[in-house]
Amino acid sequence: MLHRRHLLLGGLCACCLPLTRTRASSFILTEVAPGIHVRRGVDEDASPGNADAIANAGFIVGQESVLVFDPGGSLGDGAALRAMIREKTQLPIRTVVLNHVHPDHIFGAGAFLEDKPDFIGHARLPAALAARGDYYKQRLEEILGAGAAGPVVMPTLDVADAAEVDLGERVVRLKAHGPAHTDNDLSVFDAETGTLFPSDLLFVGRVPALDGSLNGWLAELEALKRIGAARAVPGHGPEQVNWPAGAADLERYLRTLVEETRQAVRDNIGIEAAVEQVAAGERGRWTLFDAYHGRNVTQAYKELEWE
Amino acid sequence: MRKLALSLALLGMFGTPALADEEAERQAHWAELREAVFGDRAAVAAADLIALEAPKRALDAALVPITVTTKPGSDVTGLTVVIDDNPGPVAAKVSYGPRGDASLLTLRVRVNQYTYMHAVAETSDGALHETAQFVKAAGGCSAPVGAGEAESLAQIGRMKLRLSGEVAAGQPVDAQVLIRHPNFNGMQMDQLTRLYTPMRYVQQVEITLNDERVLSMENDISLATDPAIGFRFVPRAEDLPGKLKVVVRDSDDAVFEQSFDVPASGS
């Protein structure tokens, strides 16, 4: 069944051809609430075998149109997601939300250009994409192969604070956050089903990545906990978790990072030593810990040493 | 100096080695860079005089901590740090004054891609001593341009000084100065105007103890946002208690200056 789907994808669109090596498991859709479908990302780093389908991606179907939240991690991943949407509905894809600047969340956008949707991003996303887009593309193509990342797609609509998108008797709310996971995090909330899409403001199982503000992240998380959602779709992790209970591990990690980094700054041990020591007790509680934790400590240190 | 930096930037951008014969090309690239910086003066590979410590794989492309140490008493008058494959490869060119001590230099740099880093010490006899370390670029969401430049710009010129250990006459004192500065490398975009923010980076740092030079440093665009410089100085008895002064000049010719008390003892 899954194999046949792959062949079908290959036949539908030439840009999907590199996908034949992609793991079938990463293309299973789960309907987490009525009309909300999530494709779970694998807890790995980008590789030719996973087409950078490492973050959760999905879509919301209204009465009149479809909203895509996180279009996927590469052109091929986005094309696969688009084909899956077309298996579920023929409604027009009018909105693609670019949750934040990181490559695993945005490079699938190129596969949706033909739909001419509104590409919606945080008001700070264009600046972040201008500074990093080409660099990310180059690095991703070193891994996936030339042309496999896809174009850097700029948002066509900015959200500076909050916005609503009507999908036809289904209004979803978008919220632009202060610096947290990155300085351009945009979350989506479907009030009808009480489903929150915090994107990478929520990591579950996979070690969080800090690229904005540690204190800011804790503050935004606190605000999101009070939004009245029953479930959340993490940027990385299972298709859904209970909300706000599902934020507990992330919060513990971030608080430990704050406390132990502050201590390291007070003790003046330097970034190199802090990377070895800070929040080492979290090792073993997260996948890919050693790949990202040291960078998180570096980011935390440079933020907190100015307090 | 401006012209030199520009030609070096071009070397850095276009001299990137292809995969084939990679090692040979990297060595050839370094030979070009060395000639651009030091002319035809030969350098001795001298691992016992100078050492460069950098992570084998950068954790964060926008902030890679590096440490250069030289053997105490080896009469080092200057240190140069080159990141071969960065645009603007000369990260720092430091020359030491009478109150300086070249046995320790720490910096935070940007690393754009897989590259050699070189540290070169010049001794008072005019000889050059070099050492190298290969650094792999960071992966994942890491990028050489970090977030948070807005805050750095808002607080531009703010400084902090950290001293560690005892301060005693005749003994090297470990110090680190932190400088708030966005160090725009010309790749960032202004979010309101949507225009690229022109290059604006820390170009010169001068550190003195009671008006006598500890070190002066010239930089290109490879220092991380909010430059942090770890160094040693040696106070005389008559210098304590004293004032350590840091003067920073950036590429817009803005000057930031701050003085810090150096106590007679303690940290």
Side-chain angles (χ1 to χ4, degrees), chain A residues 270-282:
Chain A
I271 285 182
E272 296 95 321
V275 159
E276 301 296 324
Q277 295 173 25
V278 166
E282 291 287 318

Side-chain angles (χ1 to χ4, degrees), chain B residues 76-88:
Chain B
V76 173
T77 56
L79 286 175
T80 302
V81 176
V82 179
I83 303 167
D84 295 18
D85 292 308
N86 267 15

Side-chain angles (χ1 to χ4, degrees), chain B residues 219-240:
Chain B
N219 305 98
D220 209 322
I221 56 175
S222 283
L223 289 191
T225 297
D226 299 334
I229 304 145
F231 61 97
R232 284 184 175 145
F233 64 96
V234 187
R236 297 164 303 182
E238 61 265 40
D239 289 322
L240 299 174

Side-chain angles (χ1 to χ4, degrees), chain A residues 132 136 139 158 299 305, chain B residues 60 108 141 145 160 194:
Chain A
R132 297 178 170 192
Y136 281 156
R139 297 305 311 277
D158 287 355
Q299 292 273 317
E305 72 185 345
Chain B
D60 183 348
R108 298 173 183 174
C141 56
V145 182
K160 277 191 176 190
R194 299 284 162 84

